[in-house]
Amino acid sequence: MSSRVYLLNGPNLDLLGEREPEIYGRHTLADIETLCGETAQRLGFELIARQTNAEHEMIGWLHEARRAAGIVINPAAFCYHSVPILDALRLCDGPIVEVHISNIYRRSETWRSHSILAAACTGVITGLGIEGYRLALEYLARLSAAAAPGARR
Ligand code: CA2
């Protein structure tokens, strides 16, 4: 059983912390990766953390993550239109948590509330800031523990 978990962040999240702090807070992508790295270490996961602005790169990483213990993905604006990413998510065997830093149901642009990728994910965490990433990893750890041989059901 793999102990590898992928943390994948989508377009523009490399600039987090620079604009719109009232919506996204002041944390940077580096803060997210540090938080997730520490959390993964505590939970016994090997974390692969990546960010891209390119759809094809995200798809390649999802292929790589097909047999991972889990995926935490903030697809950013890919979630509104990317059928290729939807298909790639559906090819993954493990649990997938979609994370959004802002509450996508609470935004003034109502189109932001409909992620086409959510249907291919185990669950979605939205609006809890960067804490959402930590909670997603903790959820994946619970699933892994429950699936481990000898685990009580
Ligand atoms: O809340 C989230 O995490 C989002 O996935 C962020 C996406 C946005 O398109 C989604 O609707 C919700 C990307 C936001 C744009 O990136 C920024 C980068 C730096 C500063 C402000 C925004």
Side-chain angles (χ1 to χ4, degrees):
M1 178 76 185
S2 170
S3 63
R4 190 172 279 197
V5 167
Y6 282 75
L7 167 66
L8 301 177
N9 280 293
N12 299 309
L13 293 173
D14 49 333
L15 298 182
L16 211 57
E18 291 188 15
R19 301 251 173 98
E20 301 182 278
E22 67 289 0
I23 298 173
Y24 299 107
R26 293 198 185 275
H27 291 290
T28 64
L29 180 64
D31 295 331
I32 292 169
E33 292 186 348
T34 299
L35 171 68
C36 290
E38 289 169 358
T39 305
Q41 193 174 21
R42 174 169 57 80
L43 297 172
F45 285 136
E46 177 196 354
L47 189 77
I48 312 290
R50 299 194 180 136
Q51 183 278 332
T52 186
N53 297 318
E55 188 180 44
H56 71 95
E57 197 162 37
M58 183 64 87
I59 293 164
W61 293 340
L62 288 170
H63 291 175
E64 203 182 294
R66 271 189 316 157
R67 296 194 213 320
I71 299 171
V72 176
I73 182 168
N74 183 343
F78 285 150
C79 77
Y80 303 118
H81 66 89
S82 179
V83 174
I85 290 177
L86 174 66
D87 288 341
L89 287 168
R90 288 202 166 124
L91 292 169
C92 293
D93 295 338
I96 304 169
V97 183
E98 178 176 340
V99 172
H100 295 281
I101 296 163
S102 65
N103 181 346
I104 60 172
Y105 297 102
R106 217 177 166 188
R107 304 286 299 270
S108 53
E109 302 124 321
T110 53
W111 54 266
R112 284 195 192 269
S113 66
H114 185 69
S115 165
I116 67 164
L117 304 184
C121 295
T122 312
V124 180
I125 298 174
T126 183
L128 303 185
I130 74 166
E131 274 296 290
Y133 292 91
R134 184 180 61 73
L135 292 167
L137 287 170
E138 285 178 353
Y139 173 72
L140 293 179
R142 278 177 183 264
L143 286 186
S144 288
R152 284 173 179 256
R153 296 193 195 275

